[in-house]
Amino acid sequence: MDFTRFMNKFNEIERQLSPTSALRLSFDNISPETEEPPDGKRLWGVPVPPFVSDKVVSWIEEEFNEAPVYYNGNSVLKKVENVRMIDRYNTKNPTVGTLYLTATHLIFVEPDSNKETWILHMHIASIEKLPLSTTGSPLLIRCKTFLSVTFVIPKDSECHDVYTSLLKLFQPVSINKLYCFNYQPAKDDFPKNAGWDFFKLEAEFKHMLVPNDNWTLCSMNEKYELCDTYPRQIYVPKEATTLMLISSSRFRSKGRLPALTYLHNNKASICRCSQPLSGFSARCLEDEQMLEAIRKTNTNTDYMYVVDTRPRINAMANRAAGKGYENEAFYENIKFHFLGIENIHVQRASLQKVLEACEQKSPTMSAFLNALESSGWLKHIRSILDTSSFIANAVDKGVSVVVHCSDGWDRTAQVCSLAQLMLNPYYRTIKGFQALIEKDWLAFGHKFSERCGHIQTDAREVSPIFTQFLDCTWQLMSQRSESFEFNERFLLILHDHVHSCQFGTFVGNCEKDRLDLKLAERTFSLWGYMSNHLNEYINPLYKPNVDESIKANLAPQCIKFWRGMYSRFESGIHPREPLGDLLLDSKEHCNSLEDHVQHLTKRIASFKNYISKSAKKLQDATTANPKASKEPASNEINDNKYNYDKKLSELSAADDDHPLKATNMSFANLSLNADQTSPQALTEEISSVAVDWKPMRNVTSCSCSTPFDQFSKKTHCFRCGDIFCERCIDKNVALPGHDSGKAVPVCRGCFRQMQKQSP
Amino acid sequence: MEFADLIKTPKLDGVFLHTTTANATVEGTLCITGHHLLLSARQENTQELWLLHKNIDCVEKKPSIGQNIVMGGIITLKCKDLRIIALEIKYAKDFFNVSASLEALSAIQNAELDYPFFYRPMYSILEDGYTMFRPELEFAQLISGLSMGGASSPNVANITICTPSTSAMASSIPHPLQNGFALEAAAALMGSSGSGSCMAACEWRVSYVNKDFGVCATYGATLIVPKAISDEQLTLSAAFRDGGRFPVLSYRHENGVGLIAFPVIKLCLYNSSSHLLQATLMRSAQPLSIQGIKRCRADEAILNLVLGRSKKGFIVDTWGKGKSNTETDLHYSQWKKVNRAIGNVSSPAAILDSFAKLIEACNDTGCTTDKWLSRLESSGWLSLVLNSLNASCVVAQCLDQEGSPVLVHGAKGLDSTLIVTSLVQIILNPDCRTVRGLQALIEREWIQAGHPFASRHRYSCYTPHQTRNKNSGATFVLFLDCIYQLYTQFPCSFEFSTQLLILLFEHSYFSQYGTFLCDSERERQELQVHTRTTSLWSYLNRPDVLQTLLNPLYEPNAAVIWPSVAPISLELWSELYLRWVIDQRNLTTTMAQIQELVTTEKELRIQALKLRKQALELSQEVMTLINEDDDD
């Protein structure tokens, strides 16, 4: 097999990678046209380019050799033909195709439509072998991304093979076997350390002007002595003594003592902790003092709220186990509230019922609404929002709040982060939202490994706590669309990667775990990846409003079912003209045009300048006074210097006919770059920006014949205005017709042309 | 009767107004006129409340009693636009006078006393809405396959179409016809010169059999029927159908399956016989079950002609199996009967009951999520919407995919039938998704087709169930909701915004315009509605008004829009149903921002092109200068 053939095959595979799949990342920014194959890896005796990961090589090998191939020494890769894929809306005409099992993915390829379905093993929630039918052996796979498919495999033995292989692969026993430890993005995509240092807890607190007169950094948790699930830096009232901190930590479940998580600009704060070990009568004076110290940091009011997010009955039951809640008789100046969010088991069962509601066979309106009601999901979402609103309102009015649930890492994380989302516009930006997750979920500890089922664990520990947080954020977003910098896609990508373990960001349960696992060295950060794709997450309707807190409308009519999340893969049920994508596209088009207009305006100004100057020179020539023209001209040089430098770097203006190289150059010529004056250069600049973009509506597939579905990101080439799928538009280049010199997406054809123009 | 007799207290100071949205209470002066209730705070910058009495659905009195004496009280006005207003009145006498006046004024039955007969627009009418959608022209365009209610073209020709002199409305008004081809087709229809110029037109003709509304009381005077059917046959068929509503043409669909799958074949077929790939949508009422009458050969003849060369047709029953009469298999052997009931009981009253339950649930914002979902479910409203869309999709599929003719009927053919036939056209025909097209559609399929707006909309959802009569309904609201669902799924394929739908909702209940007055063409002629009132369309099509109703995202879409009819895809139309209870400002700002974005995009594009031209010109000039310079 020669190299061309290999590249063809490679391009084909690359094309086939589903845009929604996580593995797609590893093929980002591949530029087969430009790179030379190095020594080293070889496939059938042919050198393999460095940007092709081992996985692809093995995949190709596997495709060309029918015999099973061993991968990583132990797992068997399977290829099964004539598999039928059945989804809920297409039970009559199942699609027939080939199923591939790789070490990381299950891939179903439909040869006719060029369409395929990628399932990351890490995304699989459950695998079920259904009773044998006449057409074969059905395998039902449910994913954490709410995709649910049935593959009917002709031979039962093959089905069994796939089934047992998947069982081994989908949920590792050890945390060290997670996908992130093998995952390699494309070589020049982004470095391994990118993203790990984006958020520093100190910086986030500095953002809130902490430390200050009232709050101080406590150094006692440097080695996680006080609480091993907390971050090393915890911020506590200045008044709190060492004894208070130690005793309070001992008096709280899992040592999670009250610590500052958010300080509002009116001195009101949100502190989080776990339940006190009060039992029926136990008390801890230091813990009481600790809360009093927190209250005293805020001089607005002489009381503060202690919010127990649990239903009263749950808290009561905990008392029998020696835990419980603060007694208002012992704690001075607190107002104690139960707010009734149900526990992880109730939430898990509720989500299960939501999925059943979505998966009803031939559903009627009543059946769907009944199922949705009985799931109670919207009720739970509302109670989380309700509690968060309570906290946000209190803080907004200047009252501090201490929040806890049982261990203070599920419900507490939800309501603390949502309250901050409501209170502070910073958290409604992309960066702020990531910082919020970094602070209230990652630093303060949330059991991602268990809750998301990253590794084999007690099924009773799995619960959609983070999903609910995203759902509540979505509810706020749909009520106040202009207040959020990010869009629905951003939340979905987050949800995908919290479960995919492709990045180390959400691996482990607390800061200490992540340090112990050396994730920052061994894995990539989701934030690093996301920073390369920010333009996809922008809400085109965002209007930054500083200092504005938003309020959620909690009327039941306003709490909606998030179809885009839970029924995401039912492609038939979504709006046929996705507004969000269209508007985002318009926004980008506006940006491009604005940039272009800016550029043209500058050009016109410099042309006019030149014309007027030469007119003046003509005048000067008649008066024969050379000095008069010198003064303004030197200014002119400075004015254009910036432009010139930029042009030099952009177009590598080493052309032979460059005016600066000309020996007998007139003074006026110097004040104007010749590449600007020449109509050809201007034409090139003009042709480098597409004024009209191809309308998105009737585009059903990319030029590479990849079909577009509901979720595929369609991107316009800024140069030619045509539409491409994510994998065909992998170049970002600054266009000569843009003033800002910002790198923008261009298609491969345009990229080649541009390279030809300026070698 | 004089209005003055009913108005016991024309003016009253010190009335407190409470509304559900703004929690603030406003003190003001109440005025009652013949048609309006007015409440003004009499201050600068305060909004006045103007309420048409016809908007009032229900007046509730709650006297406040102190020391066993009525001390005044609160009058709650529940309006047809779904708003609820409470007026607090201090003194007992005023309280009783005001409530009695409002009750009497809102209950006036005489259509001639309605506001449209008194309203005179303050502007000159550019286009008369009453002559814009004349049936002859609409049908001519339907037959010739030209866009209906389409955009105006610059060469406007004026022609006069004479209809039988008995028809009062056809008073030989010069009519702007929009292009020559339509003119020809219309001429062909009228049986005058130019016949045969359009193949399709040959099959159909305009019948004036109902010119004095003797054959069918609810149909208009102008109807379109197969050409080979005589007026006598129509009369016979009318006798066989409920309410005399014999099968008439509703829509002809051209872009059948042939055009999409086999363009070449389609072309060939089109040359040989143009009608082959055109599927016809008809509507009628159910056949009557009269003792002794088993069949009606004239009725069968109509359907057989419609069938033409197709092997089979579909009769879609929107009323429900076993509940309505249907054509016998024996005598309509080539017609397949399909049941697609809109609801368990598809009567207009049942639809209104459902609507009332929905609004009751919507107004209770303090209940739990479970309660809300359970009430939403038990109202059955979304099921009605889903079933309507479903039935329409089935019909649209028969027309578009199978190319078969379809006859739709419910019981009387006045409600669910019209929902289905009009939705089918919105799904299939891009013209119906424009402002004018929607107006034309409503004019053809609802107003001229005899949907009894006056009876249906006399009472709305707040009137207690026992007070409503069986002719009350909310069919038109259901229709608008269905359009809304299509809109949410295809937000760029509609020229109008949802504001137009809300406006239509309001005007169909209470209006200063005469468009939705009366139950049928006959009644409108008797009252001379067309000459004595102004048409809503005349108002809507004024450029400044139209501008506010356009969808900024509109891009004409010639394709058929197949909606998803999965329950999960439906959305509650909160913009309408919740607008008085939940702040909808977010929607308004969103729309404004979208508008801004789209405008910016357009402006930037123009600016960029302009600057390019300028830059190129200047660069040429500079080049010349440089060359001169070099020459020096």
Side-chain angles (χ1 to χ4, degrees), chain A residues 530-591:
Chain A
M530 282 189 141
S531 66
N532 280 2
H533 295 78
L534 286 182
N535 59 337
E536 292 168 31
Y537 310 137
I538 298 283
N539 167 18
L541 304 178
Y542 175 55
K543 283 252 159 95
N545 277 333
V546 193
D547 299 324
E548 192 219 6
S549 65
I550 58 168
K551 286 193 167 53
N553 193 330
L554 296 167
Q557 287 87 349
C558 296
I559 309 295
K560 296 189 176 131
F561 178 72
W562 190 5
R563 188 172 59 198
M565 171 69 99
Y566 309 107
S567 300
R568 193 163 144 209
F569 293 97
E570 309 271 15
S571 57
I573 61 155
H574 299 282
R576 304 298 207 270
E577 292 166 338
L579 217 50
D581 287 357
L582 291 172
L583 292 175
L584 184 57
D585 192 55
S586 287
K587 182 91 186 164
E588 289 203 329
H589 191 199
C590 281
N591 291 343

Side-chain angles (χ1 to χ4, degrees), chain A residues 15 113-115 701-708 728:
Chain A
R15 261 207 315 278
S113 62
N114 223 347
K115 188 178 172 247
S701 67
C702 172
S703 56
C704 69
S705 83
T706 301
F708 284 131
C728 284

Side-chain angles (χ1 to χ4, degrees), chain B residues 99-377:
Chain B
S99 58
S101 310
L102 290 176
E103 273 171 350
L105 285 163
S106 62
I108 291 175
Q109 296 273 357
N110 187 350
E112 274 184 285
L113 293 176
D114 269 346
Y115 187 49
F117 288 101
F118 296 81
Y119 172 77
R120 289 292 162 265
M122 302 292 281
Y123 46 84
S124 58
I125 288 167
L126 304 169
E127 267 182 303
D128 187 1
Y130 285 130
T131 52
M132 264 171 74
F133 308 109
R134 291 273 293 281
E136 287 87 351
L137 290 155
E138 283 300 312
F139 284 130
Q141 285 169 351
L142 192 65
I143 293 308
S144 63
L146 289 165
S147 66
M148 284 171 281
S152 57
S153 71
N155 48 345
V156 173
N158 285 331
I159 61 147
T160 309
I161 295 178
C162 296
T163 42
S165 52
T166 44
S167 155
M169 57 167 280
S171 48
S172 302
I173 308 154
H175 192 279
L177 193 67
Q178 276 140 8
N179 68 44
F181 192 43
L183 188 143
E184 207 170 21
L189 270 168
M190 304 307 292
S192 58
S193 67
S195 66
S197 61
C198 179
M199 295 278 284
C202 299
E203 286 178 54
W204 302 91
R205 69 182 182 98
V206 173
S207 168
Y208 298 107
V209 67
N210 199 33
K211 60 180 186 284
D212 50 7
F213 308 106
V215 178
C216 171
T218 55
Y219 272 164
T222 319
L223 294 161
I224 204 108
V225 294
K227 193 160 196 172
I229 297 292
S230 68
D231 282 358
E232 289 70 40
Q233 280 174 300
L234 293 176
T235 317
L236 286 171
S237 169
F240 177 68
R241 296 268 173 187
D242 198 342
R245 292 173 74 92
F246 53 88
V248 293
L249 180 75
S250 169
Y251 173 60
R252 280 171 67 86
H253 182 57
E254 298 226 19
N255 300 330
V257 64
L259 188 70
I260 299 153
F262 316 103
V264 182
I265 299 169
K266 152 91 181 173
L267 198 69
C268 302
L269 287 171
Y270 198 87
N271 288 338
S272 55
S273 53
S274 67
H275 56 271
L276 245 186
L277 283 149
Q278 295 179 334
T280 312
L281 176 64
M282 310 275 293
R283 59 176 151 78
S284 69
Q286 63 182 353
L288 285 170
S289 60
I290 309 169
Q291 284 283 304
I293 301 177
K294 289 268 184 324
R295 62 188 293 190
C296 170
R297 287 186 195 277
D299 193 73
E300 289 160 31
I302 298 176
L303 291 194
N304 282 335
L305 266 171
V306 170
L307 208 55
R309 263 162 272 191
S310 330
K311 289 218 171 53
K312 61 172 179 186
F314 294 91
I315 296 177
V316 176
D317 185 349
T318 58
W319 195 256
K321 200 169 189 163
K323 294 194 178 95
S324 62
N325 298 314
T326 194
E327 293 76 2
T328 53
D329 289 337
L330 182 66
H331 300 125
Y332 300 86
S333 56
Q334 280 173 295
W335 292 81
K336 195 171 181 294
K337 278 78 180 176
V338 182
N339 269 294
R340 277 294 180 275
I342 299 292
N344 286 332
V345 184
S346 303
S347 72
I351 296 175
L352 180 56
D353 282 346
S354 167
F355 184 57
K357 281 187 198 158
L358 171 83
I359 296 303
E360 198 190 337
C362 283
N363 283 339
D364 185 4
T365 49
C367 69
T368 64
T369 311
D370 288 357
K371 187 88 192 286
W372 153 247
L373 285 173
S374 127
R375 289 171 79 174
L376 180 64
E377 187 272 314

